[in-house]
Amino acid sequence: MDNRSGNSAVPLFSGEEKDILQEVMNIAFGNATADLAELIDIHTVLSVPDVRLIDIDKLTDYLGESIPQNQTNSVAGQKFWGDFNGSGLLFLPSGSERVLSQYFSQSRSDQDDDDCRALDDNIKSGLLLEISNILIGACVGKISDLLNTMVSYTPPELLSLEKTDYSFLLKHFNNEQRAIVMKTLFQFDEQDINGLLLIMTNDQSIDWLKKALHAFISAYED
């Protein structure tokens, strides 16, 4: 596994295990965007998922590499627990709420154009929470389904609006832990909106995850 961004020097996953995890993530992210498309009829283009092991105290450095410099983002998060235990984080550039609200409003005829142009923080928060609930929930749910387990979720939470500094995220995690970070960049088709979705799990899930990945691939080899 890649050792940039403060990653542990000792890889915990073999090359085969990383390949399987990337394939699982690819399926799961695709499932999540399909669910979003069903709700707001917008096509989403995904990057190939990137899987890394990082130290939590290097999370802000990692985000600095992944997000364009000085781009302000709103951040929503959701925790999940079970055999597969961790957090999902969704980053959307500031202002994207206005564009996305138009897609939501097409399915909610009671919202007029003036409402879309004059988004207040409550509406921004509601949109972010709705999108994060769909993307994180569908993604984690599909991973769990593929790896034959079940998870429970906390409600999605708005962590910030329009930030360029993400050091505040560290207070949500145990800084002594490492995290397996599964990242995909996505773009809403025909819109200049590039978002970032992270699914993070921790040391407590590593043993289970390695066994589950081998069981997953064995089912196709038998």
Side-chain angles (χ1 to χ4, degrees), residues 22-124:
Q22 282 183 315
E23 180 57 27
V24 168
M25 291 303 303
N26 200 34
I27 297 170
F29 281 131
N31 183 75
T33 56
D35 278 7
L36 184 63
E38 283 188 10
L39 179 66
I40 63 173
D41 192 24
I42 187 170
H43 179 62
T44 307
V45 180
L46 294 172
S47 69
V48 175
D50 178 59
V51 179
R52 297 191 192 183
L53 178 69
I54 68 170
D55 298 324
I56 283 293
D57 62 357
K58 301 297 183 184
L59 177 62
T60 53
D61 295 338
Y62 175 77
L63 292 172
E65 295 175 1
S66 304
I67 296 174
Q69 191 173 13
N70 299 322
Q71 175 179 292
T72 58
N73 280 265
S74 297
V75 186
Q78 189 169 16
K79 295 183 182 297
F80 51 90
W81 68 92
D83 293 325
F84 186 44
N85 184 22
S87 301
L89 293 173
L90 175 68
F91 298 77
L92 282 176
S94 301
S96 57
E97 305 93 345
R98 178 171 312 200
V99 176
L100 294 174
S101 71
Q102 297 172 12
Y103 289 87
F104 275 88
S105 66
Q106 289 173 6
S107 60
R108 293 185 302 201
S109 58
D110 57 338
Q111 183 172 7
D112 60 29
D113 290 342
D114 288 340
D115 291 332
C116 296
R117 285 191 292 269
L119 291 176
D120 61 24
D121 283 353
N122 288 333
I123 297 176
K124 289 180 182 178

Side-chain angles (χ1 to χ4, degrees), residues 3-222:
N3 285 328
R4 291 176 291 176
S5 298
N7 294 359
S8 170
V10 180
L12 294 179
F13 288 85
S14 67
E16 180 188 27
E17 290 166 343
K18 182 183 175 184
D19 288 344
I20 300 169
L21 184 55
Q22 282 183 315
E23 180 57 27
V24 168
M25 291 303 303
N26 200 34
I27 297 170
F29 281 131
N31 183 75
T33 56
D35 278 7
L36 184 63
E38 283 188 10
L39 179 66
I40 63 173
D41 192 24
I42 187 170
H43 179 62
T44 307
V45 180
L46 294 172
S47 69
V48 175
D50 178 59
V51 179
R52 297 191 192 183
L53 178 69
I54 68 170
D55 298 324
I56 283 293
D57 62 357
K58 301 297 183 184
L59 177 62
T60 53
D61 295 338
Y62 175 77
L63 292 172
E65 295 175 1
S66 304
I67 296 174
Q69 191 173 13
N70 299 322
Q71 175 179 292
T72 58
N73 280 265
S74 297
V75 186
Q78 189 169 16
K79 295 183 182 297
F80 51 90
W81 68 92
D83 293 325
F84 186 44
N85 184 22
S87 301
L89 293 173
L90 175 68
F91 298 77
L92 282 176
S94 301
S96 57
E97 305 93 345
R98 178 171 312 200
V99 176
L100 294 174
S101 71
Q102 297 172 12
Y103 289 87
F104 275 88
S105 66
Q106 289 173 6
S107 60
R108 293 185 302 201
S109 58
D110 57 338
Q111 183 172 7
D112 60 29
D113 290 342
D114 288 340
D115 291 332
C116 296
R117 285 191 292 269
L119 291 176
D120 61 24
D121 283 353
N122 288 333
I123 297 176
K124 289 180 182 178
S125 301
L127 280 169
L128 282 168
L129 292 176
E130 192 159 359
I131 293 171
S132 67
N133 193 39
I134 295 167
L135 290 179
I136 295 172
C139 187
V140 172
K142 190 62 178 178
I143 295 170
S144 302
D145 182 50
L146 291 171
L147 299 183
N148 198 29
T149 190
M150 297 181 67
V151 297
S152 299
Y153 302 88
T154 61
E157 179 183 7
L158 179 66
L159 302 177
S160 77
L161 283 171
E162 302 179 358
K163 290 274 190 179
T164 57
D165 179 2
Y166 307 106
S167 57
F168 72 93
L169 289 171
L170 297 179
K171 68 182 180 184
H172 294 278
F173 302 99
N174 180 347
N175 287 353
E176 296 180 355
Q177 282 198 324
R178 294 166 296 181
I180 305 166
V181 178
M182 294 162 269
K183 175 190 78 174
T184 190
L185 300 171
F186 57 90
Q187 181 175 26
F188 294 112
D189 197 16
E190 300 180 354
Q191 301 291 340
D192 186 22
I193 300 175
N194 295 282
L196 171 65
L197 180 62
L198 298 182
I199 302 298
M200 302 170 59
T201 188
N202 52 39
D203 282 348
Q204 298 168 353
S205 295
I206 288 176
D207 287 343
W208 169 83
L209 185 56
K210 289 167 70 75
K211 293 176 183 175
L213 291 172
H214 284 286
F216 171 77
I217 200 64
S218 294
Y220 291 93
E221 294 174 341
D222 292 341

